Amino acid sequence: MEAWMNDVPAAVRDSQRQLRRDVRDLPGRFARLSDALEAEVAAIRSEQAHGGAVPELPFQDVAAGRVTAAQRAHIKRRGCVVVRGVFDPDQVGAWNEAIVRYIDDVQYLQRMPQKAGLDKYFSALGSSRPQIYSLYWSLPQMQARQHADMATLRSWLNRLWTFEKNGTRYFDPDRQFNYADRIRRREPGDSTLGLSPHSDGGSVERWCEPSFRHVYREVFDGDPLAFDPFDAEGRTATREIPSPAVCSAFRTFQGWTALTRQGPGDGTLKLVPIAKTTPWMLLRALQPDVPDGDLCGAQPGRALGASPQWHAPLLAGLVSIPQVEPGDTVWWHSDVIHAVEDQHTGSGYSNVIYIGAAPWCAKNAAFAQRQAPAFLEGRSSPDFAPEDYELGFAGRAREENLSPLGLMQMGLTDWT
């Protein structure tokens, strides 16, 4: 653990004061970013009114190399994309049914009281019936993660990034690390899972931690409008405050695969589809109206929240994703502000498998060494609370259920 993490409040005060003092022309920089944000939000509202602000692609175009340069540029501007038809709907239907059985067979609901208080991220959600299930190793999850079409898609997504510069390769876009995440099974009428707007992958670290300060070097020391959220320099070397609520792997995109039809009103995802929101948020916390020692509410060990109090101009761009079908996938850059609708007012379950894009790099290889034993033993993924529902459960996926590609993606065999 870095020394500053031993006294985070002091580090926050010191970093905020230092940046307020040393960032050149702070008022002018923030004014330029505010103008740019206002223009992007206006563009989003117009796009949403004329077909949708979230870009969409058929997977067949990705696989066949038919995505145009203009489409790639639009996806990078919006920081998100819906890729349709990645998996066969019949296969996805079978996966969905198998996951429902898996939840029952592992006796998840019956065992929940024994695990109370372990999951700090969702501990505030007052529901006797969960909507996010801390299950990582079912056969459908592993089969979807290691599927060849998923590998093709994630390689394409990774290649939207600048992953190599000046002879330094920050990650391998064509080799995937299968970061194990959970399952969402949200029932109609649920009003417990709503998550306020946030971005993952670091909160106060973005101001206080030198590894993050390098990622956002243009914001503090250069031209903030020149910041490139798809530049991988520094991204694979960040150091986060250890927490079961913070991803400690590197993901080019967060994402999920739809197991059921879902869309606006079905208790699902909302996005602020702007890739370049973080510079504005970073400088917003340095403005005179923000109290000393307060980074617009950012809390250590949590996601970076976007609140109406401090970030209203940004939240004006929050929109629902379009309706998706079973087998469609949704992807968003780790800096992108996203939220979960407060209520599920639809008529069917909104079910997903969380699968992001995590390319092979030193940071992810190190995490794979921690995650692989958890898989082999059936323990929870090491980035999450140690609820261990699958420990000792005979019905979970095993090493023999993995393909040669899946074994490499899990770090269980060397890449060939």
Side-chain angles (χ1 to χ4, degrees):
M1 183 179 293
E2 302 296 313
W4 71 269
M5 296 181 188
N6 293 322
D7 189 350
V8 174
V12 166
R13 288 193 301 271
D14 292 346
S15 295
Q16 188 184 45
R17 290 170 181 171
Q18 179 260 317
L19 289 167
R20 280 172 163 163
R21 181 184 67 243
D22 294 345
V23 173
R24 299 187 307 275
D25 187 23
L26 180 56
R29 285 168 177 262
F30 185 64
R32 291 167 63 204
L33 286 174
S34 295
D35 289 343
L37 176 65
E38 182 180 1
E40 281 294 81
V41 168
I44 287 167
R45 306 311 300 184
S46 176
E47 290 171 18
Q48 191 72 357
H50 295 87
V54 177
E56 302 178 35
L57 288 174
F59 173 69
Q60 292 89 338
D61 285 359
V62 174
R66 292 194 295 261
V67 183
T68 68
Q71 288 174 306
R72 289 194 296 272
H74 186 53
I75 291 166
K76 292 179 70 171
R77 179 180 175 186
R78 292 284 157 255
C80 58
V81 62
V82 172
V83 182
R84 298 194 179 277
V86 179
F87 297 112
D88 177 76
D90 291 338
Q91 173 67 81
V92 172
W95 283 343
N96 188 48
E97 292 176 3
I99 284 173
V100 173
R101 290 194 302 270
Y102 191 80
I103 291 169
D104 290 339
D105 290 346
V106 84
Q107 297 185 314
Y108 195 99
L109 298 178
Q110 297 91 324
R111 297 166 63 194
M112 274 185 60
Q114 306 166 23
K115 315 289 185 179
L118 289 176
D119 188 341
K120 303 301 181 184
Y121 193 90
F122 290 104
S123 60
L125 301 181
S127 174
S128 60
R129 188 176 185 88
Q131 310 299 314
I132 299 288
Y133 288 79
S134 299
L135 299 172
Y136 307 90
W137 312 123
S138 70
L139 276 170
Q141 287 169 286
M142 299 306 294
Q143 289 167 352
R145 291 169 186 152
Q146 71 181 5
H147 198 283
D149 288 344
M150 179 61 81
T152 296
L153 174 54
R154 290 190 288 185
S155 294
W156 183 84
L157 290 165
N158 293 338
R159 287 181 170 275
L160 294 174
W161 284 66
T162 300
F163 56 87
E164 188 171 20
K165 287 194 305 184
N166 303 320
T168 299
R169 174 170 275 209
Y170 305 111
F171 63 78
D172 186 335
D174 301 319
R175 296 182 178 186
Q176 309 300 323
F177 164 55
N178 271 339
Y179 178 78
D181 208 325
R182 295 162 294 184
I183 296 163
R184 187 231 293 162
R185 185 167 188 260
R186 195 170 190 189
E187 61 186 339
D190 175 66
S191 60
T192 67
L193 183 58
L195 292 177
S196 57
H198 65 281
S199 67
D200 297 292
S203 59
V204 299
E205 296 98 317
R206 300 178 197 238
W207 292 270
C208 302
E209 169 56 43
S211 61
F212 277 86
R213 291 275 286 270
H214 181 69
V215 169
Y216 300 112
R217 57 197 177 277
E218 288 283 5
V219 181
F220 298 123
D221 301 317
D223 178 0
L225 293 177
F227 168 73
D228 181 2
F230 288 90
D231 180 356
E233 181 181 343
R235 292 274 186 175
T236 61
T238 56
R239 294 184 290 273
E240 298 81 14
I241 297 173
S243 166
V246 173
C247 174
S248 57
F250 167 66
R251 294 177 290 187
T252 54
F253 285 85
Q254 295 172 243
W256 50 253
T257 295
L259 298 175
T260 60
R261 174 181 293 176
Q262 55 200 278
D266 291 331
T268 187
L269 185 69
K270 302 182 79 171
L271 300 166
V272 177
I274 304 173
K276 293 186 178 185
T277 54
T278 304
W280 184 85
M281 293 183 72
L282 291 173
L283 297 192
R284 179 68 187 91
L286 306 180
Q287 299 311 300
D289 62 328
V290 181
D292 193 34
D294 181 357
L295 295 173
C296 292
Q299 297 296 317
R302 295 286 178 176
L304 179 64
S307 69
Q309 178 183 4
W310 302 115
H311 308 107
L314 184 156
L315 294 178
L318 188 66
V319 298
S320 294
I321 62 166
Q323 180 172 293
V324 295
E325 302 293 334
D328 293 347
T329 60
V330 185
W331 305 90
W332 62 99
H333 187 290
S334 56
D335 281 358
V336 163
I337 297 296
H338 55 286
V340 176
E341 292 175 331
D342 289 337
Q343 292 187 314
H344 180 352
T345 59
S347 58
Y349 275 86
S350 292
N351 298 351
V352 309
I353 299 174
Y354 292 103
I355 304 176
W360 204 259
C361 61
K363 181 170 186 165
N364 289 345
F367 189 84
Q369 293 180 1
R370 297 169 53 210
Q371 181 180 268
F375 164 66
L376 295 174
E377 298 167 22
R379 293 183 282 108
S380 296
S381 173
D383 244 6
F384 298 88
E387 296 175 271
D388 296 338
Y389 283 98
E390 295 156 287
L391 183 64
F393 179 57
R396 62 180 169 83
R398 309 278 178 163
E399 187 173 2
E400 55 266 28
N401 300 121
L402 300 187
S403 66
L405 177 61
L407 289 168
M408 292 186 289
Q409 291 171 335
M410 288 293 292
L412 293 169
T413 60
D414 292 335
W415 280 93
T416 57

